[in-house]
Amino acid sequence: MSARSGIGYDSHRFADGRKLILGGVEITEAERGLSGHSDADALTHALIDALLGAAGLGDIGQHFPDTDERWRNADSLGLLAEVCTFLDEHGWSVVHVDATVICETPKLGPHRDEMRETLASAIGINRLEVNVKFTTNEGMGAIGRGEGIAALAVATVDR
Ligand code: MG
């Protein structure tokens, strides 16, 4: 048994004048997006950390530091694909990923299938091996007050 699991977490604050990108999908009905050095795709960032964690290869901040101009407004989907290539070079293949996005508004359910397709294509696995879930924080705390969006992820990799 050489399968391993990793966890990931990320959160970004809402900001006016930004597009909302989650799982590589633009949520066009959102009134604002998330602030960040890259495109601030919290879901994709949580997945990247889960994958790096599973492979024992560090975290997103080590590989794509937000002090580096190369990653300004970076397409996080491209970073995800790069990380999967990196894992492959270290002998790891991705078996499955699962994630939860915590967000009060907008409702993200209508975008679930497109996110699964988009993420699966960047990772290079079947979309059935990519699960994305949505929940709210029931009005509690910063996420509950609508100050931002958080995401949790789990990834399983195998030799
Ligand atoms: Mg992030």
Side-chain angles (χ1 to χ4, degrees):
M1 171 80 171
S2 54
R4 289 199 202 167
S5 306
I7 64 166
Y9 170 82
D10 194 30
S11 63
H12 283 262
R13 191 180 284 277
F14 276 118
D16 291 327
R18 300 260 306 177
K19 288 178 182 172
L20 179 59
I21 313 277
L22 287 169
V25 174
E26 185 181 342
I27 313 300
T28 50
E29 69 274 25
E31 285 167 15
R32 39 191 199 155
L34 298 170
S35 73
H37 185 69
S38 67
D39 62 7
D41 183 340
L43 168 55
T44 301
H45 294 179
L47 282 168
I48 287 173
D49 259 359
L51 289 161
L52 288 169
L57 292 170
D59 67 27
I60 189 170
Q62 275 181 290
H63 294 276
F64 310 107
D66 63 9
T67 48
D68 192 327
E69 280 305 308
R70 267 184 303 169
W71 316 124
R72 181 172 297 281
N73 296 317
D75 172 8
S76 298
L77 220 51
L79 306 185
L80 175 62
E82 227 178 283
V83 161
C84 290
T85 302
F86 185 57
L87 261 63
D88 184 60
E89 285 164 3
H90 284 78
W92 294 106
S93 52
V94 181
V95 176
H96 173 263
V97 297
D98 181 30
T100 297
V101 180
I102 310 157
C103 169
E104 302 294 315
T105 55
K107 289 284 170 229
L108 298 169
H111 301 281
R112 185 193 320 264
D113 289 343
E114 193 183 354
M115 286 184 197
R116 292 180 75 185
E117 291 278 358
T118 305
L119 291 167
S121 149
I123 296 168
I125 56 177
N126 191 293
R127 70 177 170 80
L128 299 176
E129 308 308 335
V130 176
N131 196 63
V132 181
K133 311 182 299 297
F134 308 108
T135 189
T136 70
N137 220 29
E138 294 280 333
M140 295 180 288
I143 301 295
R145 289 189 296 272
E147 293 176 21
I149 291 179
L152 301 158
V154 176
T156 304
V157 301
D158 203 351
R159 282 282 184 199

